[in-house]
Amino acid sequence: MSKPWDTDLSIYADEAALLQGLRRRERDACLCMLKHYGPRLYRLALRLAGDPDVAEDVLQDAFIRGCERIDSFEGLSSLGTWLHRIVVTTALMHLRAAQSSRVARATASDGDDGTAFLEYQADERDAPDRAALSAELRAQIEQAILALPDALRTAFVLRELEGMSTAAAAAALGVSESALKVRLHRARAALRDALSHTAVEAGVFQSGASQ
Amino acid sequence: MSHPCCPELLALLDALDGQPPDAVERAVSAHVASCERCAGEERHLDDLLAAVRSSAAPMLPTGLEARLLARLCPPIT
Ligand SMILES: [Zn+2]
């Protein structure tokens, strides 16, 4: 039985065409966007949020915000990078909201677009799996990252996995650069501790293993 | 062989908890730069992270794509 979303997506082979479709609110364009960017953006949302349910909310909010603003997307970055920034902003908003509701005192000031500080280029290429890192080991690492406290995890993900500069990551999190570096030290120490038992099989990490 | 994180580093992080970030950062960086054990562990972590950075994102959890699509583009009825 063919599902309603089994659609030929080749009509949006390039980004300009996809963007046009999104601006016309075409369902196929929506689906193409989800298929093309969904997995990377979900992984980003999960790493930042640290929880699958929150990650789903983040992703949904981010896509809604993206679709609402698609007409104002100026194409200065690629669509993927633009969506990426929206996910980061949305995830940090969710975390701040959860934190402030924990202290029962909302200091909501998230009216702005909030993406201006995210001046970094997201790496959108789906890099080939360079290392034959086993799925099990990868899951262990992801799990160890998710287990970090919010403050350490967000710092670590933005700086170490997303490749933001120290300054940009610090600005995104609203802390000083020294404070960010301390969070990174703490995050790395916690990860070293959690992952110390992982054996690195010989040959797995030949750098730049492209024949 | 398996071993936990460098105990000297952990003790240092504990001892400096609550101190101004500048001072903590300097002290911790200095330790990591001069500690052989930390060097090895940092390398091990960097190796793991390099592989994680270059890994492709897994598929979306079951049903998520359909839920997102329904939310973003409600079917016209
Ligand atoms: Zn050490």
Side-chain angles (χ1 to χ4, degrees):
Chain A
M1 200 41 229
S2 111
K3 301 182 194 103
W5 55 88
D6 281 342
T7 317
D8 177 17
L9 297 170
S10 57
I11 40 175
Y12 300 113
D14 72 36
E15 190 178 302
L18 171 61
L19 196 53
Q20 261 194 339
L22 287 171
R23 288 188 167 141
R24 290 199 211 100
R25 305 294 190 263
E26 287 170 11
R27 190 178 169 81
D28 280 355
C30 255
L31 180 55
C32 184
M33 172 180 72
L34 292 175
K35 284 201 184 297
H36 191 66
Y37 301 108
R40 288 185 66 90
L41 295 178
Y42 176 75
R43 179 173 66 178
L44 174 63
L46 178 59
R47 284 172 173 173
L48 285 169
D51 174 273
D53 291 332
V54 181
E56 180 165 340
D57 288 346
V58 165
L59 194 59
Q60 178 175 301
D61 287 359
F63 274 129
I64 288 172
R65 293 176 84 198
C67 286
E68 281 170 1
R69 291 162 200 212
I70 197 73
D71 291 324
S72 63
F73 170 63
E74 291 175 347
L76 297 176
S77 60
S78 73
L79 181 58
T81 298
W82 186 70
L83 288 170
H84 197 95
R85 288 178 194 160
I86 295 177
V87 170
V88 172
T89 311
T90 308
L92 296 182
M93 273 170 48
H94 271 251
L95 287 171
R96 275 196 290 267
Q99 196 177 39
S100 61
S101 76
R102 272 200 292 275
V103 244
R105 172 162 210 149
T107 40
S109 59
D110 288 314
D112 70 315
D113 172 73
T115 56
F117 54 79
L118 294 173
E119 289 308 321
Y120 72 103
Q121 191 69 26
D123 182 5
E124 291 171 63
R125 288 160 303 160
D126 249 339
D129 265 288
R130 147 182 157 196
L133 203 56
S134 73
E136 190 192 349
L137 181 49
R138 264 212 307 267
Q140 275 182 340
I141 301 169
E142 294 286 349
Q143 208 49 54
I145 293 169
L146 296 198
L148 293 170
D150 287 355
L152 304 191
R153 194 183 59 252
T154 47
F156 179 82
V157 170
L158 293 180
R159 180 72 186 92
E160 299 265 25
L161 299 183
E162 293 303 312
M164 284 174 70
S165 68
T166 302
L173 296 171
V175 298
S176 70
E177 291 189 33
S178 308
L180 184 96
K181 287 180 188 168
V182 171
R183 289 184 188 187
L184 291 175
H185 279 305
R186 290 190 184 282
R188 290 184 66 98
L191 291 175
R192 277 159 55 178
D193 213 33
L195 299 170
S196 60
H197 61 285
T198 57
V200 181
E201 302 114 67
V204 165
F205 294 118
Q206 316 148 358
S207 51
S210 51
Q211 279 88 16
Chain B
M1 268 321 285
S2 130
H3 51 72
C5 182
C6 167
E8 281 178 47
L9 174 65
L10 295 180
L12 189 60
L13 284 169
D14 265 356
L16 294 173
D17 199 13
Q19 297 296 305
D22 276 340
V24 182
E25 213 284 303
R26 268 197 305 275
V28 173
S29 288
H31 170 83
V32 172
S34 65
C35 171
E36 224 172 280
R37 177 160 182 173
C38 276
E41 291 176 13
E42 289 279 306
R43 242 191 334 270
H44 178 70
L45 181 60
D46 281 334
D47 282 347
L48 293 174
L49 294 180
V52 165
R53 284 188 201 102
S54 68
S55 69
M59 308 232 303
L60 289 178
T62 315
L64 180 53
E65 183 181 284
R67 285 198 292 282
L68 290 170
L69 185 66
R71 188 71 177 71
L72 290 174
C73 295
I76 302 140
T77 46

